[in-house]
Amino acid sequence: MLKSILAVLSIHRAGPSFARSVVLPVLFVAVATLSLGAASILWAVNKSNDVSAERQLRVMERSIRAVVQELAQEQEMVAIWDDAIVELGKSPMDLKWIDANIGVWLSRTFGQEEVYILNDRDEPINAVLDATRVSNHEFERVRASLSSLIAGIRGASDSPHKDHVAENAEAPYLITGKAVHDAHMLELLGRPAAVSIMKIIPESDAVPYPHDREFLLVGIRYLDGSFIKQISEQNLIEGLRFSVVNNPESGEISVPIRSDVGNLIGYFTWKPELPGDRLLKAIGPVTAVVAAIILLLLGALVRRLKQSMSALERTVLELKASEAQAHHLAFHDVLTGLPNRALFEDRLNHAVARRQDGEQVAVMMLDLDRFKHINDTLGHPAGDSLIREFSVRLSKVVGGEDTITRLGGDEFAIVQVCTAGMAEPDELCKKILAMVHEPYDIMGNQIFVGTSIGLVLAPDAGTDRSELLRKADIALYRAKAEGRNCYRTFTPEMDETVNMRRIIEEDLRIALATDEGLEVAYQPQIAVGGDFIVGVEALARWWHPTRGYIQPSQFIPVAEQTGLIVPLGEWILRQACLASRRWPGVFVSVNLSPVQFRSGDFASHVISVVRECGADPRRIELEVTESVLLDEECGTADALRVLRNAGFRIALDDFGTGYSSLGYLHRFEVDKIKIDRSFTQNLGQGTKAAAVIKAIVSLGHAMSLTVTAEGVETEIQKNFLHTAGCNEMQGYLFSKALSQEQITRLLFQASLKETQCYVGGTSAFKAG
Ligand code: C2E
Ligand code: CA
Ligand code: CA
């Protein structure tokens, strides 16, 4: 039942909680209420049935009792009558009169089945059966049954009925009348009957009658005859019947009939009127319909509730989903879907905390080489595509238990739990470097990128998360500094470098602001063959207040990374310009960092600085490295052209170490190439340095460029370079970098001799 209701309401789809929390209680209350209602109705029905049956039972009993009394009263109407005495005394009797006034009349009027008139000898003188006069002989059928009653009324004091009446005052069907009549209930011819026997006496004294010789009037009324019909009609009792045995059918009740002496004669049985049942029949269907309507309404209500609950559940689910989404967003990178820094740091913490003995946790930091360039030239969508593709590839080589994160931009990090020492992270780094090499197809462009990786291992390098990340970052920095597209494992020495770098940055800032400790030294450049100074290279010098002399190779890279190279470079340019005004015969070379070119409109800025200082651009040489030329997007080519047009000479510094390609020399108009000092110093070391130098010289000459050799320390080197065809030389063989005063003195001495000055080997200035 419950199942079917649930099915109708399709509750099962709303989930067990809904059924449990709403449907069952509602159903319970509904069923309980309806059951209670039904029980009350049934109780009321039964009660009213019982009351009605009880009433009918009593009516029956009373009717049965009344019939005896009524019979007596009917008899009385004719038995106490002067005319009757007179008529019965005639001989012959007027039978017509007797029929019209006594026997037939009583039978017809009151339904007495049998009426007899007995004479003083108790012989019948008139007999009536069912309103018809019959032979007096008919009395003989009942004489035996009535004899004791007749004797009783004749005044026999030993009448058993009289005794019985006296003893059983409560006998229901016995009525004692006046002395002249007697009425009884008894079994007559096997039927229940009320019998009344009465002396016929005058009503007045006018008519004499013989005492002790009266006529007797006998009236019989059978209770199973017309009486039943009469009772039924009077009391609206249906189906009333008499039976000797008590055999009521279902729904029937019965009442016993006893004779005066208490013998059971039989039973009146009938189907009692059941008003409760009638009521039930009348209101039953209506009640059922009302109950059904209530149930339907409840069903509809539950359904509505279910819909609201479903909507609520949906809302809750949506909320949960958006919460999950929010949670995912909070811990994942939108672009790549990889864990973000917060989640990564959490995983790193866990990995380190749960590390088993002998296990190591590797932290790798990755950075795409030249990503900025791709982003700037192909646009951000291309950059995003590349990042996505890279993260996909990374996910393929990194194990499922390891965590990859995108820290931001093109920076990624990996946490790897290693059980086999360095072998695992080494192998992973190599795999990453190899997979990165495959070209990327980004928006129709084939792109090649590299990556640099910094690696650190816990617990060797510590267990603190931020410490590990910092050290991985340092290792990454080292990988980048050492040529990119490689991986470097963190060593404590790297940390010192980083510390040093931080100190340098802070103190260099102070030095620039206070103009204390910084100086410019000038290293002479000698014309080959003539051995005279043609120019000087301005080189930055820094005396730290506590650390003493700090090499340019230490502080220039820091200045480049921190942007301090811009003010520092300008300061050096100003110093060089001011100095050049004092040295009319020579040019002054100034080193320019690629970082300086990135500041807006660098060329015009250089030109205005030189003008301000009152220097001649034609005697200022600008040294740039090949990396400057690589920075195509900074408009370097244009800047160099503008500067060259303004009169500056452009020298390509450290030539041969970088990307050295003929293409660059064609694209960028330069005046000079400076062969890197590593080639000079490798001369005679069995390397190919000599061949390279020769090739560079002939290349430079072919393009009408001046070729300068750096780092010349020995006569042998000098002679080789001379023979190779170098135009100028620079190196400790001639001079270290000198102070402005020293250069001034040198140039002055040379002018005194009216020859160009050869400064071979003199070193009056401490240099790096
Ligand atoms: P560089 O531009 O190649 O400068 C030449 C470097 O070689 C100088 O080192 C110089 O002292 C050194 N040198 C000269 N002759 C010899 C030699 O015979 N043997 C050896 N071993 N070295 C020799 P320094 O002054 O330490 O400068 C190092 C680098 O620092 C420079 O290399 C340059 O790249 C950078 N630098 C120096 N001053 C400046 C500056 O004012 N601006 C910029 N942007 N960079 C500078
Ligand atoms: Ca230089
Ligand atoms: Ca150089």
Side-chain angles (χ1 to χ4, degrees):
M1 165 77 174
L2 174 65
K3 245 186 190 169
S4 59
I5 291 176
L6 288 180
V8 167
L9 299 175
S10 56
I11 295 308
H12 53 284
R13 271 185 280 131
S17 64
F18 178 75
R20 217 177 303 123
S21 61
V22 178
V23 180
L24 289 182
V26 167
L27 216 65
F28 177 77
V29 169
V31 167
T33 309
L34 291 176
S35 305
L36 212 69
S40 311
I41 288 173
L42 287 179
W43 181 83
V45 162
N46 282 335
K47 191 75 190 166
S48 92
N49 284 344
D50 288 352
V51 166
S52 163
E54 182 76 11
R55 188 185 57 79
Q56 288 186 359
L57 212 59
R58 245 177 273 131
V59 163
M60 271 310 293
E61 285 168 355
R62 211 172 44 237
S63 299
I64 293 166
R65 245 182 284 137
V67 74
V68 182
Q69 202 175 0
E70 278 170 12
L71 194 61
Q73 284 166 355
E74 288 158 19
Q75 299 281 78
E76 240 176 50
M77 292 170 78
V78 295
I80 305 169
W81 192 10
D82 293 354
D83 291 357
I85 301 284
V86 172
E87 288 296 325
L88 287 172
K90 285 181 181 169
S91 187
M93 285 187 292
D94 182 354
L95 287 174
K96 274 193 180 168
W97 185 93
I98 291 171
D99 284 346
N101 294 285
I102 304 176
V104 174
W105 181 80
L106 280 174
S107 182
R108 188 175 295 143
T109 308
F110 301 111
Q112 296 179 5
E113 275 93 347
E114 299 180 21
V115 182
Y116 302 99
I117 302 170
L118 306 181
N119 62 16
D120 58 341
R121 294 182 304 276
D122 294 337
E123 285 164 353
I125 55 161
N126 188 261
V128 172
L129 289 185
D130 295 325
T132 307
R133 175 153 42 83
V134 293
S135 158
N136 293 338
H137 192 69
E138 289 292 328
F139 179 69
E140 299 312 318
R141 293 180 301 123
V142 296
R143 179 187 288 278
S145 303
L146 302 179
S147 60
S148 67
L149 292 178
I150 292 166
I153 199 128
R154 285 295 184 196
S157 57
D158 55 346
S159 163
H161 284 281
K162 267 218 160 124
D163 297 345
H164 178 76
V165 168
E167 285 160 20
N168 300 289
E170 291 179 6
Y173 311 118
L174 181 66
I175 300 165
T176 56
K178 299 177 193 172
V180 290
H181 74 93
D182 206 352
H184 303 272
M185 176 69 72
L186 69 153
E187 188 181 337
L188 202 59
L189 303 174
R191 301 170 70 187
V195 176
S196 172
I197 302 174
M198 192 171 281
K199 286 178 178 171
I200 300 172
I201 53 170
E203 57 191 320
S204 65
D205 294 336
V207 179
Y209 77 99
H211 285 285
D212 301 330
R213 290 197 295 121
E214 299 96 340
F215 291 91
L216 293 182
L217 180 63
V218 178
I220 298 171
R221 183 96 198 255
Y222 289 102
L223 301 187
D224 59 347
S226 62
F227 171 75
I228 284 189
K229 206 178 156 214
Q230 183 194 335
I231 294 270
S232 293
E233 282 170 5
Q234 276 174 7
N235 298 295
L236 300 169
I237 294 174
E238 266 177 64
L240 183 65
R241 62 189 158 84
F242 171 80
S243 61
V244 179
V245 290
N246 190 20
N247 58 349
E249 288 174 8
S250 83
E252 287 186 328
I253 54 172
S254 61
V255 62
I257 309 159
R258 291 178 194 280
S259 70
D260 295 351
V261 289
N263 291 336
L264 189 67
I265 304 169
Y267 299 88
F268 274 131
T269 304
W270 73 99
K271 215 179 183 83
E273 192 206 1
L274 300 171
D277 282 10
R278 271 225 312 277
L279 184 77
L280 192 62
K281 246 180 227 157
I283 67 162
V286 178
T287 313
V289 167
V290 168
I293 289 173
I294 289 174
L295 272 178
L296 277 176
L297 284 175
L298 269 176
L301 192 75
V302 167
R303 218 196 168 97
R304 259 309 257 289
L305 207 65
K306 193 199 83 181
Q307 281 165 356
S308 316
M309 291 268 288
S310 307
L312 199 72
E313 271 170 17
R314 260 203 311 282
T315 313
V316 168
L317 278 179
E318 278 165 16
L319 269 176
K320 273 187 185 162
S322 59
E323 192 189 314
Q325 202 182 5
H327 188 265
H328 188 268
L329 280 177
F331 291 102
H332 289 84
D333 172 48
V334 179
L335 182 63
T336 60
L338 291 174
N340 65 8
R341 182 183 277 269
L343 185 55
F344 174 80
E345 290 183 348
D346 189 55
R347 299 240 176 113
L348 175 54
N349 279 344
H350 274 87
V352 172
R354 293 198 194 133
R355 189 183 53 83
Q356 310 269 310
D357 271 352
E359 273 184 0
Q360 282 181 309
V361 177
V363 181
M364 290 158 209
M365 238 181 221
L366 295 83
D367 186 307
L368 282 178
D369 299 334
R370 297 184 60 228
F371 175 71
K372 188 185 178 301
H373 174 64
I374 289 158
N375 224 5
D376 290 352
T377 51
L378 296 178
H380 287 283
D384 287 354
S385 262
L386 177 61
I387 292 288
R388 264 197 300 267
E389 177 62 26
F390 178 70
S391 72
V392 169
R393 288 192 193 181
L394 212 51
S395 304
K396 283 181 187 158
V397 290
V398 174
E401 279 151 37
D402 304 331
T403 303
I404 314 170
T405 182
R406 177 172 171 239
L407 296 172
D410 61 332
E411 273 188 22
F412 291 81
I414 298 167
V415 174
Q416 186 191 29
V417 177
C418 322
T419 46
M422 269 305 284
E424 281 176 70
D426 273 343
E427 195 189 336
L428 180 56
C429 286
K430 281 173 191 159
K431 266 194 204 165
I432 293 171
L433 290 173
M435 74 82 181
V436 153
H437 263 242
E438 296 297 314
Y440 292 81
D441 185 18
I442 301 295
M443 301 170 84
N445 298 286
Q446 262 220 334
I447 292 174
F448 293 86
V449 287
T451 185
S452 306
I453 308 173
L455 169 63
V456 68
L457 286 163
D460 295 358
T463 51
D464 179 69
R465 183 205 352 116
S466 48
E467 195 60 11
L468 287 169
L469 286 173
R470 188 182 68 82
K471 287 174 177 171
D473 195 35
I474 291 169
L476 170 62
Y477 180 81
R478 180 60 68 94
K480 284 202 243 181
E482 293 185 4
R484 301 173 183 269
N485 209 14
C486 59
Y487 74 96
R488 291 288 179 267
T489 307
F490 174 83
T491 56
E493 165 269 319
M494 289 183 190
D495 212 5
E496 284 155 26
T497 311
V498 171
N499 281 337
M500 191 60 191
R501 206 181 292 146
R502 208 177 51 243
I503 292 165
I504 286 172
E505 183 195 342
E506 284 167 19
D507 294 352
L508 187 60
R509 216 176 278 280
I510 296 167
L512 271 169
T514 57
D515 207 4
E516 273 174 26
L518 285 169
E519 282 181 17
V520 180
Y522 301 89
Q523 186 177 31
Q525 295 179 345
I526 310 302
V528 172
D531 285 351
F532 53 86
I533 299 171
V534 285
V536 290
E537 180 179 357
L539 293 165
R541 294 291 175 261
W542 182 25
W543 273 270
H544 189 275
T546 55
R547 293 172 185 274
Y549 180 67
I550 296 180
Q551 307 240 359
S553 58
Q554 277 182 292
F555 70 85
I556 294 293
V558 177
E560 283 177 331
Q561 286 150 25
T562 55
L564 282 172
I565 194 71
V566 174
L568 178 65
E570 187 185 324
W571 181 80
I572 290 165
L573 179 65
R574 281 182 193 280
Q575 302 301 310
C577 287
L578 293 174
S580 82
R581 281 168 51 183
R582 299 171 62 186
W583 306 324
V586 297
F587 62 84
V588 179
S589 316
V590 176
N591 292 286
L592 296 180
S593 157
V595 180
Q596 286 170 279
F597 278 87
R598 286 178 209 152
S599 54
D601 207 3
F602 176 62
S604 349
H605 186 65
V606 170
I607 294 167
S608 61
V609 168
V610 173
R611 275 211 194 109
E612 271 173 42
C613 297
D616 179 0
R618 284 168 302 172
R619 285 199 293 109
I620 305 290
E621 196 172 78
L622 301 174
E623 291 189 14
V624 294
T625 54
E626 284 163 305
S627 61
V628 169
L629 305 187
L630 284 174
D631 251 354
E632 288 167 33
E633 65 266 30
C634 292
T636 318
D638 291 339
L640 288 177
R641 199 168 301 117
V642 170
L643 289 168
R644 203 153 176 266
N645 289 341
F648 295 96
R649 287 202 296 177
I650 308 297
L652 206 47
D653 204 1
D654 304 339
F655 193 79
T657 55
Y659 294 80
S660 307
S661 98
L662 280 172
Y664 287 126
L665 294 179
H666 277 298
R667 285 230 304 278
F668 300 98
E669 299 164 36
V670 298
D671 302 281
K672 182 193 268 190
I673 47 180
K674 291 179 83 174
I675 301 171
D676 191 71
R677 63 177 178 274
S678 60
F679 295 105
T680 311
Q681 270 146 23
N682 283 337
L683 279 173
Q685 307 267 322
T687 60
K688 293 174 184 165
V692 174
I693 290 171
K694 278 182 187 162
I696 294 173
V697 172
S698 54
L699 170 74
H701 286 174
M703 299 180 76
S704 318
L705 303 176
T706 305
V707 179
T708 303
E710 286 186 310
V712 186
E713 294 180 359
T714 64
E715 286 290 339
I716 299 167
Q717 290 166 351
K718 177 191 149 191
N719 291 336
F720 175 86
L721 293 164
H722 190 169
T723 315
C726 281
N727 306 97
E728 292 167 0
M729 284 184 226
Q730 180 179 351
Y732 296 162
L733 178 66
F734 311 104
S735 170
K736 289 194 171 183
L738 304 173
S739 70
Q740 191 182 317
E741 286 71 36
Q742 285 173 312
I743 294 290
T744 305
R745 215 173 302 137
L746 262 182
L747 292 174
F748 178 69
Q749 284 165 4
S751 68
L752 282 183
K753 288 178 188 169
E754 288 184 295
T755 78
Q756 296 299 330
C757 182
Y758 171 52
V759 290
T762 55
S763 177
F765 202 91
K766 187 184 172 194

